[in-house]
Amino acid sequence: MSMELYTIPISNADQDDAYIIYRPLSGLAFIGNQAMADLVESLAKDPMRPMDADVRTFLEEIGFLRPDPPLPQLPAPG
């Protein structure tokens, strides 16, 4: 599975370990903790990685586990 993924640490008054988890080609972003950031980074390398059923359901429902769509084509010159 091809996946462009960024985990961006943010300051959040409600929790110490907040991350923006961002898949730009899929148009998907959400806030997660350190454990979620670590999990999605490992999923980018090994999509068959075992995980908690509730976490898998969440990631499936938001479309996180889908491969990236193809890159858009640039217009032809001229």
Side-chain angles (χ1 to χ4, degrees):
M1 168 170 72
S2 172
M3 180 186 302
E4 184 173 356
L5 171 70
Y6 299 93
T7 55
I8 306 160
I10 59 172
S11 295
N12 183 337
D14 296 334
Q15 71 186 64
D16 293 334
D17 63 341
Y19 289 78
I20 297 172
I21 298 169
Y22 180 43
R23 293 206 40 214
L25 296 177
S26 297
L28 176 66
F30 64 97
I31 303 294
N33 61 13
Q34 178 74 52
M36 181 62 81
D38 292 344
L39 173 68
V40 297
E41 286 177 349
S42 69
L43 283 172
K45 296 173 189 150
D46 178 12
M48 302 309 291
R49 181 187 188 287
M51 71 184 93
D52 180 81
D54 289 339
V55 173
R56 179 172 291 283
T57 299
F58 168 73
L59 293 174
E60 286 173 349
E61 286 179 355
I62 65 170
F64 183 87
L65 298 176
R66 292 186 200 126
D68 283 341
L71 293 173
Q73 297 294 318
L74 296 176

